[in-house]
């Protein structure tokens, strides 16, 4: 490893040559100084990393905050989804309907359980599953349907999809990875299907760097989720160390005022100890690194602290979304649909723009002092597009950008 002086010089030279953006990166990360303090305390206390008590408490407190009866914390939203799949008893020979505009890790979780994934197109008002398109895909083998609430919006066809599931006796999994706290008719999303999962990955509504929670209101499903959770191992100690390093890094790289410099600097310093949430192997269809693992105690401790701040973060996002409402009006773009009766959390603010603007990273730098987000550039983000028959999703992949709602 190069000396600190050499590393520092490299960062400075790169900045001066303009090869790295000096522009502040505006993510959606919600790490605070208080969270970093918690991480530091736990880093000194390895003996307690694999104590289940804090993890149990985080699962239960998340469920209570969410208005759900049961909650269990895992190493990712995708891992929580695998727990849901297992708890619903889905397996080989079953088909599940999934929106054709999602993260690759979602279909992977089904495929890795031997389930056939059938994609149905999305609508372009909230980028949720189209009830009409989903209805066309139901066969005798269809056992479940996955409804997602993207960008923190409540999906347009929420009621129609639930009704469709009731009519055909399909189980409903709600993907709330981007929508923790979004409300529909007085109840938070995730409480109308059979089971739901949430994510605390670094770019989501709240963060534990990586992590997720599965919730349900059904006692039998809860018993099976709980068994899955109790049987689940913790990630290895070395992995937990890296997750904690990543949490600290995320604060300095995405939130701290010095992030324009610290991101690159700490990138050199921490090197291989900074984890990415989706590996190349996963993009190619393989299991997550932490498949089947529950959350270790230090992440759950950060999760508890994050949970205490989540309502405030969501309020800030809602307030900042007004800026983008105005921006849409002034620039002749359509704001996203706010489903009547819903209160979105605006994890990001999605807008359909010209494809050439989506693909120009500097488009909004000068005028708006931000960089737009790209979820998703393909229908199965971030895997190269492999879907046909979902023209709405293709259109969103080409045109939908998302604007930051924190740190403005
Ligand atoms: C992030 C995300 C997931 C996966 O959550 P992880 O915690 O990263 O495993 C699933 N679905 C959607 C829509 C997401 O945005």
């Amino acid at each position: 490893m190069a000396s600190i002086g050499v590393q520092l010089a490299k960062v400075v030279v790169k900045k001066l040559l303009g090869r790295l953006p000096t522009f502040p990166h505006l993510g959606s990360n919600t790490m605070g100084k208080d969270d970093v303090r918690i991480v530091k305390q736990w880093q000194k206390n390895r003996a307690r990393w694999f104590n289940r008590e804090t993890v149990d408490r985080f699962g239960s407190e998340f469920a209570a905050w969410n208005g759900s009866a049961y909650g269990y914390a895992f190493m990712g939203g995708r891992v929580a989804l695998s727990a849901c799949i297992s708890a619903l008893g889905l397996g080989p020979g079953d088909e599940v309907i999934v929106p054709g505009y999602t993260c690759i890790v979602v279909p992977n979780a089904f495929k890795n359980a031997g389930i056939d994934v059938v994609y149905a197109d999305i609508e372009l008002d909230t980028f949720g599953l189209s009830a009409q398109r989903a209805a066309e895909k139901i066969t005798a083998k269809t056992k479940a349907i996955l409804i997602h609430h993207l960008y923190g919006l409540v999906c347009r066809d929420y009621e129609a999809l639930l009704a469709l599931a009731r009519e055909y006796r399909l189980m409903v999994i709600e993907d709330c990875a981007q929508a923790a706290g979004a409300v529909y008719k007085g109840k938070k999303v995730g409480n109308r299907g059979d089971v739901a999962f949430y994510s605390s990955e670094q770019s989501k509504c709240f963060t534990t760097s990586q992590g997720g929670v599965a919730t349900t209101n059904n006692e039998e499903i809860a018993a099976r989720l709980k068994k899955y959770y109790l049987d689940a191992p913790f990630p290895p100690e070395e992995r937990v160390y890296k997750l904690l390093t990543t949490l600290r890094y995320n604060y300095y790289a995405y939130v701290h005022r010095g992030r324009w410099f610290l991101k690159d600097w700490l990138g050199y310093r921490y090197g291989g100890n900074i984890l990415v949430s989706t590996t190349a192997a996963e993009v190619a269809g393989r299991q997550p690194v932490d498949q089947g693992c529950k959350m270790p105690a230090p992440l759950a401790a950060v999760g508890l602290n994050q949970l205490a701040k989540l309502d405030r973060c969501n309020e800030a996002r809602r307030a900042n979304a007004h800026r983008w409402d105005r921006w849409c009006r002034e620039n002749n773009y359509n704001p996203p649909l706010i489903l009547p009766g819903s209160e979105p959390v605006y994890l990001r603010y999605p807008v359909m723009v010209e494809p050439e603007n989506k693909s120009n990273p500097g488009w909004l730098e000068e005028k708006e002092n931000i960089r737009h987000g790209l979820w998703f550039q393909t229908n199965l983000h971030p895997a190269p597009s492999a879907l046909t028959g979902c023209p709405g999703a293709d259109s969103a992949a080409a045109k939908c950008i998302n604007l930051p709602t924190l740190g403005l």
Side-chain angles (χ1 to χ4, degrees):
M1 196 173 157
S3 76
I4 288 180
V6 171
Q7 292 171 28
L8 188 60
K10 274 191 190 168
V11 172
V12 170
V13 167
K14 275 191 164 181
K15 288 278 180 208
L16 291 176
L17 292 177
R19 288 192 37 225
L20 291 173
T22 47
F23 194 78
H25 186 291
L26 288 163
S28 351
N29 196 276
T30 54
M31 280 294 284
K33 251 193 195 148
D34 49 340
D35 300 294
V36 173
R37 265 196 301 277
I38 292 170
V39 172
K40 284 182 182 167
Q41 280 162 9
W42 280 87
Q43 278 181 317
K44 287 184 235 146
N45 202 346
R46 283 191 190 224
R48 289 179 56 218
W49 284 6
F50 304 115
N51 183 323
R52 228 189 60 216
E53 195 190 322
T54 313
V55 194
D56 290 352
R57 193 148 63 81
F58 173 53
S60 310
E61 289 197 15
F62 181 87
W65 171 85
N66 202 45
S68 311
Y70 307 93
Y72 302 97
F74 294 96
M75 258 325 300
R78 65 200 74 178
V79 182
L81 170 57
S82 290
C84 294
I85 291 168
S86 165
L88 293 180
L90 295 169
D94 295 338
E95 284 180 8
V96 60
I97 296 174
V98 170
Y101 183 71
T102 184
C103 297
I104 185 73
V105 301
V106 171
N108 281 356
F110 290 106
K111 288 180 185 173
N112 286 325
I115 298 156
D116 290 328
V117 175
V118 176
Y119 295 102
D121 206 0
I122 55 164
E123 32 81 13
L124 296 176
D125 294 321
T126 64
F127 309 93
L129 184 61
S130 154
Q132 203 184 344
R133 296 283 93 81
E136 295 163 3
K137 300 287 175 142
I138 296 172
T139 72
K141 289 184 179 170
T142 311
K143 289 281 155 54
I145 190 163
L146 183 128
I147 299 179
H148 67 197
H149 306 284
L150 288 193
Y151 307 107
L153 306 170
V154 179
C155 70
R156 187 194 74 183
D157 292 355
Y158 200 11
E159 298 228 28
L161 287 162
L162 293 166
L164 187 70
R166 271 194 302 275
E167 185 183 343
Y168 289 89
R169 295 173 183 273
L170 307 177
M171 293 181 275
V172 173
I173 303 171
E174 285 190 66
D175 177 347
C176 302
Q178 298 190 5
V183 172
Y184 181 65
K185 293 192 176 166
K187 220 196 275 190
K188 290 199 173 90
V189 294
N191 286 303
R192 286 180 170 82
D194 295 282
V195 69
F197 68 95
Y198 300 78
S199 169
S200 53
E201 191 257 1
Q202 67 91 5
S203 61
K204 306 300 166 82
C205 298
F206 68 117
T207 188
T208 60
S209 86
Q210 293 184 30
V213 181
T215 64
T216 185
N217 291 305
N218 176 306
E219 212 173 306
E220 279 169 44
I221 295 170
R224 290 195 291 267
L225 269 182
K226 184 173 182 180
K227 180 167 180 352
Y228 190 102
Y229 168 78
L230 292 177
D231 290 347
F234 287 107
E237 184 167 328
E238 188 53 27
R239 178 95 182 148
V240 178
Y241 174 80
K242 290 182 180 183
L243 287 161
L244 292 176
T245 307
T246 306
L247 265 171
R248 284 173 71 162
Y249 168 79
N250 287 346
Y251 171 70
Y252 293 107
Y254 301 122
V255 181
H256 191 278
R257 291 171 75 98
R259 60 188 183 267
W260 62 274
F261 173 76
L262 290 170
K263 184 172 195 292
D264 307 319
W265 167 242
L266 294 177
Y268 278 113
R269 293 288 297 141
Y270 294 164
N273 287 328
I274 302 167
L275 300 174
V276 293
S277 42
T278 302
T279 61
E282 270 185 88
V283 173
R286 283 196 282 284
Q287 302 260 22
V289 179
D290 295 312
Q291 181 57 19
C293 290
K294 61 174 155 269
M295 189 180 274
L299 297 200
V302 171
L304 283 164
N305 197 53
Q306 286 274 311
L307 190 58
K309 299 190 283 187
L310 183 46
D311 287 331
R312 251 179 296 149
C313 284
N314 282 339
E315 272 316 310
R317 291 186 182 97
R318 286 181 180 124
N320 285 328
H322 294 312
R323 165 174 166 179
W324 302 122
D325 288 336
R326 280 194 302 279
W327 180 83
C328 283
R329 274 198 303 277
E330 286 160 11
N331 293 280
N332 273 321
Y333 293 119
N334 288 327
L337 172 79
I338 307 312
L339 181 67
S342 79
E343 295 163 51
V345 290
Y346 294 104
L347 172 61
R348 309 283 298 188
Y349 187 105
V351 194
M352 296 278 275
V353 303
E354 303 74 10
E356 59 274 22
N357 286 332
K358 175 161 182 170
S359 53
N360 171 10
W363 180 45
L364 296 174
E365 274 189 18
E366 220 163 88
K367 270 204 164 149
E368 302 297 332
N369 202 31
I370 60 118
R371 279 194 168 200
H372 58 271
L374 298 174
W375 305 334
F376 305 130
Q377 287 173 283
T378 62
N379 337 53
L380 301 179
H381 173 87
S385 189
L387 283 190
T388 51
C390 292
D394 292 342
S395 175
K399 297 181 190 165
C400 184
I401 62 164
N402 62 74
L403 301 164
T405 51
L406 279 185
L408 296 178

PDB file of all heavy atoms in Angstrom, residues 76-78 103 105-106 150 175 177-178 197 199 201 204 211, ligand 1:
ATOM      1  N   GLY A  76     -30.060  -7.860   4.186  1.00  0.00           N
ATOM      2  CA  GLY A  76     -30.378  -7.057   3.012  1.00  0.00           C
ATOM      3  C   GLY A  76     -31.856  -7.180   2.716  1.00  0.00           C
ATOM      4  O   GLY A  76     -32.517  -8.113   3.215  1.00  0.00           O
ATOM      5  N   GLY A  77     -32.370  -6.236   1.926  1.00  0.00           N
ATOM      6  CA  GLY A  77     -33.746  -6.357   1.468  1.00  0.00           C
ATOM      7  C   GLY A  77     -33.899  -7.652   0.677  1.00  0.00           C
ATOM      8  O   GLY A  77     -34.886  -8.382   0.822  1.00  0.00           O
ATOM      9  N   ARG A  78     -32.886  -7.951  -0.116  1.00  0.00           N
ATOM     10  CA  ARG A  78     -32.924  -9.158  -0.960  1.00  0.00           C
ATOM     11  C   ARG A  78     -32.907 -10.426  -0.110  1.00  0.00           C
ATOM     12  O   ARG A  78     -33.508 -11.422  -0.469  1.00  0.00           O
ATOM     13  CB  ARG A  78     -31.755  -9.120  -1.942  1.00  0.00           C
ATOM     14  CG  ARG A  78     -30.395  -9.197  -1.300  1.00  0.00           C
ATOM     15  CD  ARG A  78     -29.275  -8.694  -2.191  1.00  0.00           C
ATOM     16  NE  ARG A  78     -29.263  -7.235  -2.299  1.00  0.00           N
ATOM     17  CZ  ARG A  78     -28.369  -6.532  -2.978  1.00  0.00           C
ATOM     18  NH1 ARG A  78     -27.410  -7.157  -3.627  1.00  0.00           N
ATOM     19  NH2 ARG A  78     -28.425  -5.225  -3.035  1.00  0.00           N
ATOM     20  N   CYS A 103     -34.846  -4.111  -9.465  1.00  0.00           N
ATOM     21  CA  CYS A 103     -33.442  -4.459  -9.243  1.00  0.00           C
ATOM     22  C   CYS A 103     -33.267  -5.940  -9.564  1.00  0.00           C
ATOM     23  O   CYS A 103     -34.100  -6.763  -9.177  1.00  0.00           O
ATOM     24  CB  CYS A 103     -33.067  -4.255  -7.780  1.00  0.00           C
ATOM     25  SG  CYS A 103     -33.196  -2.557  -7.249  1.00  0.00           S
ATOM     26  N   VAL A 105     -31.664  -8.061  -8.168  1.00  0.00           N
ATOM     27  CA  VAL A 105     -31.645  -8.934  -6.990  1.00  0.00           C
ATOM     28  C   VAL A 105     -33.037  -9.461  -6.643  1.00  0.00           C
ATOM     29  O   VAL A 105     -33.162 -10.473  -5.959  1.00  0.00           O
ATOM     30  CB  VAL A 105     -31.016  -8.231  -5.767  1.00  0.00           C
ATOM     31  CG1 VAL A 105     -29.587  -7.808  -6.084  1.00  0.00           C
ATOM     32  CG2 VAL A 105     -31.833  -7.033  -5.300  1.00  0.00           C
ATOM     33  N   VAL A 106     -34.075  -8.792  -7.142  1.00  0.00           N
ATOM     34  CA  VAL A 106     -35.437  -9.246  -6.856  1.00  0.00           C
ATOM     35  C   VAL A 106     -35.759 -10.531  -7.638  1.00  0.00           C
ATOM     36  O   VAL A 106     -36.069 -11.567  -7.030  1.00  0.00           O
ATOM     37  CB  VAL A 106     -36.465  -8.115  -7.112  1.00  0.00           C
ATOM     38  CG1 VAL A 106     -37.892  -8.634  -7.038  1.00  0.00           C
ATOM     39  CG2 VAL A 106     -36.244  -6.983  -6.106  1.00  0.00           C
ATOM     40  N   LEU A 150     -41.995   2.350  -5.854  1.00  0.00           N
ATOM     41  CA  LEU A 150     -40.669   2.894  -6.183  1.00  0.00           C
ATOM     42  C   LEU A 150     -40.565   4.378  -5.857  1.00  0.00           C
ATOM     43  O   LEU A 150     -41.546   5.103  -5.892  1.00  0.00           O
ATOM     44  CB  LEU A 150     -40.367   2.677  -7.664  1.00  0.00           C
ATOM     45  CG  LEU A 150     -40.074   1.253  -8.124  1.00  0.00           C
ATOM     46  CD1 LEU A 150     -39.476   1.271  -9.535  1.00  0.00           C
ATOM     47  CD2 LEU A 150     -39.169   0.494  -7.186  1.00  0.00           C
ATOM     48  N   ASP A 175     -42.773  -5.059  -2.138  1.00  0.00           N
ATOM     49  CA  ASP A 175     -41.387  -4.586  -2.139  1.00  0.00           C
ATOM     50  C   ASP A 175     -41.409  -3.114  -1.730  1.00  0.00           C
ATOM     51  O   ASP A 175     -41.737  -2.236  -2.523  1.00  0.00           O
ATOM     52  CB  ASP A 175     -40.786  -4.775  -3.538  1.00  0.00           C
ATOM     53  CG  ASP A 175     -39.362  -4.228  -3.639  1.00  0.00           C
ATOM     54  OD1 ASP A 175     -38.930  -3.497  -2.729  1.00  0.00           O
ATOM     55  OD2 ASP A 175     -38.697  -4.517  -4.659  1.00  0.00           O
ATOM     56  N   ALA A 177     -38.729  -1.572  -0.478  1.00  0.00           N
ATOM     57  CA  ALA A 177     -37.311  -1.223  -0.311  1.00  0.00           C
ATOM     58  C   ALA A 177     -37.074   0.279  -0.447  1.00  0.00           C
ATOM     59  O   ALA A 177     -36.166   0.826   0.166  1.00  0.00           O
ATOM     60  CB  ALA A 177     -36.457  -1.986  -1.320  1.00  0.00           C
ATOM     61  N   GLN A 178     -37.891   0.943  -1.258  1.00  0.00           N
ATOM     62  CA  GLN A 178     -37.690   2.380  -1.487  1.00  0.00           C
ATOM     63  C   GLN A 178     -38.761   3.227  -0.802  1.00  0.00           C
ATOM     64  O   GLN A 178     -38.847   4.426  -1.064  1.00  0.00           O
ATOM     65  CB  GLN A 178     -37.694   2.674  -2.998  1.00  0.00           C
ATOM     66  CG  GLN A 178     -36.577   1.970  -3.749  1.00  0.00           C
ATOM     67  CD  GLN A 178     -36.422   2.443  -5.183  1.00  0.00           C
ATOM     68  OE1 GLN A 178     -37.079   3.374  -5.628  1.00  0.00           O
ATOM     69  NE2 GLN A 178     -35.543   1.796  -5.919  1.00  0.00           N
ATOM     70  N   PHE A 197     -41.069  -6.507   2.427  1.00  0.00           N
ATOM     71  CA  PHE A 197     -39.676  -6.306   2.839  1.00  0.00           C
ATOM     72  C   PHE A 197     -39.239  -4.882   2.574  1.00  0.00           C
ATOM     73  O   PHE A 197     -39.744  -4.205   1.686  1.00  0.00           O
ATOM     74  CB  PHE A 197     -38.733  -7.325   2.184  1.00  0.00           C
ATOM     75  CG  PHE A 197     -38.573  -7.164   0.697  1.00  0.00           C
ATOM     76  CD1 PHE A 197     -37.503  -6.435   0.172  1.00  0.00           C
ATOM     77  CD2 PHE A 197     -39.461  -7.743  -0.181  1.00  0.00           C
ATOM     78  CE1 PHE A 197     -37.337  -6.290  -1.200  1.00  0.00           C
ATOM     79  CE2 PHE A 197     -39.317  -7.592  -1.554  1.00  0.00           C
ATOM     80  CZ  PHE A 197     -38.251  -6.865  -2.067  1.00  0.00           C
ATOM     81  N   SER A 199     -35.614  -2.115   2.861  1.00  0.00           N
ATOM     82  CA  SER A 199     -34.161  -2.142   2.716  1.00  0.00           C
ATOM     83  C   SER A 199     -33.533  -1.003   3.509  1.00  0.00           C
ATOM     84  O   SER A 199     -34.066   0.102   3.569  1.00  0.00           O
ATOM     85  CB  SER A 199     -33.785  -1.996   1.239  1.00  0.00           C
ATOM     86  OG  SER A 199     -32.392  -1.773   1.106  1.00  0.00           O
ATOM     87  N   GLU A 201     -30.193  -0.402   2.784  1.00  0.00           N
ATOM     88  CA  GLU A 201     -28.969  -0.237   2.001  1.00  0.00           C
ATOM     89  C   GLU A 201     -28.610   1.249   1.998  1.00  0.00           C
ATOM     90  O   GLU A 201     -29.426   2.091   2.372  1.00  0.00           O
ATOM     91  CB  GLU A 201     -29.242  -0.795   0.590  1.00  0.00           C
ATOM     92  CG  GLU A 201     -28.021  -0.955  -0.289  1.00  0.00           C
ATOM     93  CD  GLU A 201     -27.890   0.144  -1.330  1.00  0.00           C
ATOM     94  OE1 GLU A 201     -28.744   1.057  -1.372  1.00  0.00           O
ATOM     95  OE2 GLU A 201     -26.929   0.099  -2.090  1.00  0.00           O
ATOM     96  N   LYS A 204     -31.147   4.018   0.528  1.00  0.00           N
ATOM     97  CA  LYS A 204     -32.577   3.899   0.801  1.00  0.00           C
ATOM     98  C   LYS A 204     -33.040   4.896   1.877  1.00  0.00           C
ATOM     99  O   LYS A 204     -32.271   5.731   2.314  1.00  0.00           O
ATOM    100  CB  LYS A 204     -32.903   2.448   1.185  1.00  0.00           C
ATOM    101  CG  LYS A 204     -32.428   1.423   0.146  1.00  0.00           C
ATOM    102  CD  LYS A 204     -33.068   1.639  -1.239  1.00  0.00           C
ATOM    103  CE  LYS A 204     -32.364   0.853  -2.325  1.00  0.00           C
ATOM    104  NZ  LYS A 204     -32.742  -0.535  -2.430  1.00  0.00           N
ATOM    105  N   GLY A 211     -28.737  -4.069   4.603  1.00  0.00           N
ATOM    106  CA  GLY A 211     -29.658  -4.629   5.575  1.00  0.00           C
ATOM    107  C   GLY A 211     -31.081  -4.552   5.072  1.00  0.00           C
ATOM    108  O   GLY A 211     -31.363  -3.879   4.076  1.00  0.00           O
TER     109      GLY A 211
HETATM  110  C1  LIG B   1     -32.742  -1.740  -3.043  1.00  0.00           C
HETATM  111  C2  LIG B   1     -33.874  -2.485  -3.565  1.00  0.00           C
HETATM  112  C3  LIG B   1     -34.040  -3.855  -3.329  1.00  0.00           C
HETATM  113  C4  LIG B   1     -33.010  -4.676  -2.605  1.00  0.00           C
HETATM  114  O1  LIG B   1     -32.702  -4.215  -1.329  1.00  0.00           O
HETATM  115  P1  LIG B   1     -31.260  -4.537  -0.724  1.00  0.00           P
HETATM  116  O2  LIG B   1     -31.332  -4.106   0.697  1.00  0.00           O
HETATM  117  O3  LIG B   1     -30.271  -3.747  -1.510  1.00  0.00           O
HETATM  118  O4  LIG B   1     -31.036  -5.998  -0.860  1.00  0.00           O
HETATM  119  C5  LIG B   1     -35.165  -4.471  -3.800  1.00  0.00           C
HETATM  120  N1  LIG B   1     -36.102  -3.787  -4.494  1.00  0.00           N
HETATM  121  C6  LIG B   1     -35.979  -2.484  -4.756  1.00  0.00           C
HETATM  122  C7  LIG B   1     -37.057  -1.781  -5.505  1.00  0.00           C
HETATM  123  C8  LIG B   1     -34.858  -1.785  -4.316  1.00  0.00           C
HETATM  124  O5  LIG B   1     -34.739  -0.489  -4.591  1.00  0.00           O
END
